[in-house]
Amino acid sequence: MLCPQGHRLPVPDFTAQFCPTCGAALINPCPVGHDNVANARFCRDCGRSMGLPSGTPTLATVAAVPPTTAVVRPTGAASPTTGRSVGVRPAAVDPPPPLPDPNDPGAQRDRAESRDRVGRGWLIAIGAIAVAVVAVVIALVATASGHSSPSASSSAAPPVTRAPSTTMPASTTTSTTLSPEAAPQGRALTALLAQNASNRSQVGTATAAIAACGDLAGAQSTLAAAQASRQTLLGQLGQLDLSALPQSAALINALTTAWQSSASSDGSYAQWAADEQAKPCVPNDSADPSYQAALVSDGHASTAKQQFTSLWNPIATSLGLQPWPPNQL
């Protein structure tokens, strides 16, 4: 079905008053005033032909009325049969504006500007949220640091933890002014410590060979030599004059105990090698009595080495000499 202007109507609709495309009136009255659709040939109420007498508005004349002109139907006249008022219903509103052309450069520019405004709005909002989050984090950090900082007058210094035997113990400075004789005495003690360190590497290789049931005779010989070397070092230590060093007596006692225990340990490890040679060797034979005795001596030596390095390393640092970790003594 078409409207008077030729536009196709969506569906037959007797109640529509205007074309949804151009706004033309769709009421087509019959000769006696009954309302019909635009293209009706006979009246749906009385059956009369839609050929109207002259002087009565026809479909063509109705279509010729501009869409914006209101055609007013007389309110007093009524149909003799139905009591309906006769005439044409007025056009109450202007036709809708035409839809924008999507290919129009102006419309495309407007859409681009609209998208830009939306994008800028989102960027501003995200920036404001980021600034707020940073401010909150800074405030929380400042608050936490303020609560966790102890006052200088009420807090005590944390205790100093002694490092394990495999690391260098923490050095402490001494306020004692060293005499000129302290430097040569410190160098003599450093030379003795370096000589002992070279023997220690051989001891480690020998004990590993015993545990693996390797060269047991060679390991026994190496350990016996290491024990004799430590005894020699103990004799040399007893001849050193370390009186210019701070706490020299405690230094000598700690180092003497450490080397005596190490020498005893070397002798026990050498006996362990002899025990494994006297029977079928058992790898990692930790149940051997000589091995157990060596472990006890090692414990005593480690304790004494810790005591010595805690006294010696601050002195060595003040003299510009090498400090020693306990496991290298």
Side-chain angles (χ1 to χ4, degrees):
M1 182 178 293
L2 304 177
C3 78
Q5 297 293 341
H7 299 123
R8 183 175 300 278
L9 301 177
V11 293
D13 190 351
F14 293 109
T15 62
Q17 301 184 37
F18 303 97
C19 175
T21 302
C22 63
L26 299 179
I27 301 301
N28 185 16
C30 76
V32 297
H34 298 146
D35 293 338
N36 289 274
V37 294
N39 296 333
R41 299 178 60 188
F42 296 93
C43 176
R44 63 188 179 90
D45 290 331
C46 64
R48 288 181 173 81
S49 173
M50 296 302 291
L52 302 179
S54 62
T56 304
T58 63
L59 180 60
T61 59
V62 171
V65 179
T68 58
T69 304
V71 180
V72 181
R73 177 184 300 189
T75 58
S79 170
T81 58
T82 63
R84 290 187 179 183
S85 58
V86 180
V88 180
R89 295 182 180 175
V93 293
D94 293 338
L99 297 175
D101 186 2
N103 298 320
D104 182 18
Q108 295 177 357
R109 184 173 57 257
D110 293 341
R111 290 194 297 271
E113 292 177 353
S114 177
R115 287 193 298 269
D116 292 341
R117 286 193 298 271
V118 173
R120 286 194 296 270
W122 275 108
L123 289 177
I124 293 173
I126 293 174
I129 294 174
V131 171
V133 171
V134 171
V136 170
V137 171
I138 292 175
L140 292 176
V141 171
T143 302
S145 62
H147 286 296
S148 61
S149 299
S151 61
S153 60
S154 61
S155 61
V160 178
T161 303
R162 176 172 294 179
S165 61
T166 57
T167 60
M168 184 78 70
S171 299
T172 57
T173 58
T174 176
S175 59
T176 304
T177 302
L178 299 179
S179 63
E181 293 81 7
Q185 293 180 7
R187 287 193 293 270
L189 179 58
T190 299
L192 207 61
L193 296 175
Q195 184 179 349
N196 173 76
S198 63
N199 295 332
R200 186 183 182 282
S201 61
Q202 298 176 1
V203 171
T205 302
T207 54
I210 300 172
C213 292
D215 184 5
L216 298 177
Q220 181 181 4
S221 175
T222 299
L223 290 166
Q227 183 182 23
S229 176
R230 292 191 198 271
Q231 295 292 347
T232 302
L233 290 173
L234 284 169
Q236 295 175 359
L237 177 62
Q239 297 175 2
L240 288 181
D241 181 11
L242 303 179
S243 60
L245 299 178
Q247 304 183 64
S248 60
L251 276 173
I252 296 174
N253 289 335
L255 187 57
T256 300
T257 301
W259 280 351
Q260 285 177 346
S261 298
S262 294
S264 176
S265 177
D266 294 339
S268 297
Y269 282 127
Q271 184 59 45
W272 180 32
D275 294 344
E276 297 300 327
Q277 292 179 75
K279 60 182 179 65
C281 182
V282 177
N284 298 315
D285 187 7
S286 58
D288 184 83
S290 298
Y291 174 81
Q292 294 292 334
L295 293 183
V296 174
S297 299
D298 283 342
H300 296 325
S302 297
T303 302
K305 291 173 184 178
Q306 288 280 1
Q307 294 173 352
F308 173 77
T309 53
S310 65
L311 295 172
W312 166 247
N313 286 341
I315 301 173
T317 302
S318 64
L319 294 175
L321 301 174
Q322 176 187 355
W324 291 85
N327 66 329
Q328 292 299 322
L329 296 178

